[in-house]
Amino acid sequence: MKHLLSTEGIDPAQATAILDTAASLKQALEGREVRKLPTLRGRTVITMFYEASTRTRVSFEIAGKWMSADVVNVSSSGSSVGKGESLRDTALTLAAAGADCVIVRHPASGAAHRLAGWLRAAGTSVVNAGDGMHEHPTQALLDAATLRERLGDLRDRRIAIVGDVLHSRVARSNVHLLTALGADVTLVAPPTLLPTGVESWPVTISHELDAELPSLDAVMLLRVQAERMHGGFFPSAREYSISYGLSERRLKLLPEHAVVLHPGPMLRGMEIASAVADSPRAAITDQVRNGVHVRMAVLYHLLAHEEENA
Ligand code: NCD
């Protein structure tokens, strides 16, 4: 694997290999006082974030550091991007400075693919850490890792993705990955928050959360992406949360074993009630924890695995 740009068309065997590596890394590091492996010593990883991030950026940085890579963070403010440098020139600069891998988050859909093209000659790997409304493959992988931990094999598991699917790269990456792993995915959203062409996706569509809950193995709430909305997509925050928020009443409709996920940042009281977010049914902090191991696994498969095979 040279790049990780999307989960669309991902080979289920490749995805499973990454998830298995993440699980072994987690096992190897758990309970250890010194969480440092020598695997990526001498390798340079640069994160390049043109959009806000807490979890993704921090966990990529920790992942690189726990594997002994040198990790450098570049953000749009404080770099030459603020002086008007193009994405291409910034990327070529980072490659020339010695990046073995560039991790990019950008508001434009397709930015990571373009970057991979520009960096081909330099041989630099690219990881998409979220491109506009398009994809966020490592989020889907960490969600799958968390679900596997709680549910085992995902084949034929019923998973609902709820809320602002239209603006969500998390939803797109999860639909591709979870269906590739054999899960049965239902999108639950108001018609205004579903993309055009969704009928051709390999999913079931529903507008009634209450009707879906009793038969689910997992429910994933999405943040309402106000920053990507121009116009009214629903009458009010209150009405949205009444129809699509996971309240304490709704939590009781889920089977005992069902898992509650949210990629964060959460809007408590909007898509998820505070008590639900803090309940033991919610795996939200597990998602963050697994995010580090999954990103370690991705860096390993990009930067170390091929070499070992050779
Ligand atoms: C998500 C993102 O940025 O796409 N956050 C994340 O990476 N955990 C989801 C969101 O912002 O709503």
Side-chain angles (χ1 to χ4, degrees), residues 4 30 35 40 71 73 84 101 107 120 134 136 146 167 170 188 197 203 238 244 276 284 297-298:
L4 180 62
E30 217 141 52
R35 285 171 293 187
L40 296 181
V71 183
N73 298 311
C101 179
R120 188 165 299 128
H134 179 226
H136 190 356
T146 308
H167 301 103
V170 174
V188 187
V203 296
R238 192 176 133 73
Y244 294 100
V276 175
I284 299 165
V298 167

Side-chain angles (χ1 to χ4, degrees), residues 31 55 181:
R55 278 151 284 271
L181 295 174

Side-chain angles (χ1 to χ4, degrees), residues 8 133-134 161 165-166 168 171-176 179 185 187 193-205:
E8 185 170 8
M133 305 190 297
H134 179 226
I161 302 179
V165 176
L166 175 62
S168 177
R172 281 174 186 74
S173 286
N174 265 297
V175 166
H176 297 310
T179 55
V185 177
L187 301 178
L193 289 178
L194 287 168
T196 48
V198 74
E199 306 75 28
S200 65
W201 294 15
V203 296
T204 308
I205 306 289

